[in-house]
Amino acid sequence: MRPKITVKVMSVRKMLLNLCFLLFSFAVWAQKLKAIEVPLAVISAFNIANPAVLNPEWYKEDSKFKVKFIVDKRPRTATYSESGTLVVHDAKVALTLIPSAIKAYLDKNYSGKNIDKVLKMTAANGKTSYLISIDGGDLIFDANGRFVKATPLK
């Protein structure tokens, strides 16, 4: 009986260490910032593009600054370089608003899978793409609904 108790204690300890590592990894991946910690060029660029937005949430991801905000009751994000140049912005959209080619691809290849999120992304150059989060992975499509790439699904 004694070895089983030791195994349980070790597995709980291991689980706690993994949880601590996961929390630390998330903290490093995207650090929430106060507006005063964001470069003035980034704040200015955001405020010019979104003058009516109140209470944006700022995050730092690698060397870029990401802001989460609400427009017309829809969550949006924008990512800026340190110099205040817009890299990409996105908005959650309803599945009914995506190109029919994407819907057909999902019906054919992911029927019955849970769709977690649908984003319409627009790069600084005006290029539009769609990100579909499905069962723990992401699918990327171009503006016409052609499949571009996928990240691993669970």
Side-chain angles (χ1 to χ4, degrees):
M1 291 276 186
R2 195 159 193 101
K4 287 185 181 179
I5 293 173
T6 304
V7 171
K8 285 185 180 181
V9 170
M10 291 178 76
S11 65
V12 169
R13 185 178 300 146
K14 189 174 185 178
M15 183 177 70
L16 287 174
L17 285 172
N18 286 337
L19 180 61
C20 289
F21 176 76
L22 179 66
L23 291 173
F24 176 75
S25 296
F26 180 75
V28 169
W29 178 69
Q31 296 175 334
K32 189 168 184 178
L33 302 173
K34 295 178 183 174
I36 197 160
E37 299 173 294
V38 179
L40 184 57
V42 175
I43 297 280
S44 296
F46 174 75
N47 287 338
I48 289 168
N50 304 282
V53 171
L54 302 173
N55 303 319
E57 294 179 11
W58 291 96
Y59 298 86
K60 182 153 187 182
E61 292 181 354
D62 299 321
S63 64
K64 296 186 175 50
F65 294 87
K66 185 174 207 170
V67 59
K68 294 182 179 183
F69 56 102
I70 306 290
V71 172
D72 297 329
K73 298 181 182 178
R74 289 177 44 202
R76 298 175 186 257
T77 63
T79 303
Y80 291 88
S81 69
E82 289 185 28
S83 64
T85 303
L86 179 68
V87 177
V88 65
H89 66 86
D90 59 57
K92 288 186 178 180
V93 295
L95 193 58
T96 57
L97 299 177
I98 63 174
S100 59
I102 297 175
K103 291 177 196 171
Y105 183 93
L106 295 174
D107 287 343
K108 179 180 177 187
N109 298 291
Y110 295 94
S111 181
K113 298 284 186 178
N114 185 38
I115 296 175
D116 302 315
K117 176 173 51 176
V118 179
L119 295 178
K120 181 178 181 181
M121 303 181 302
T122 307
N125 64 5
K127 187 177 175 183
T128 298
S129 59
Y130 293 88
L131 180 139
I132 312 293
S133 292
I134 186 166
D135 279 354
D138 293 329
L139 305 172
I140 307 288
F141 298 86
D142 69 12
N144 297 316
R146 286 188 297 264
F147 175 76
V148 176
K149 69 177 181 176
T151 61
L153 301 176
K154 288 181 182 176

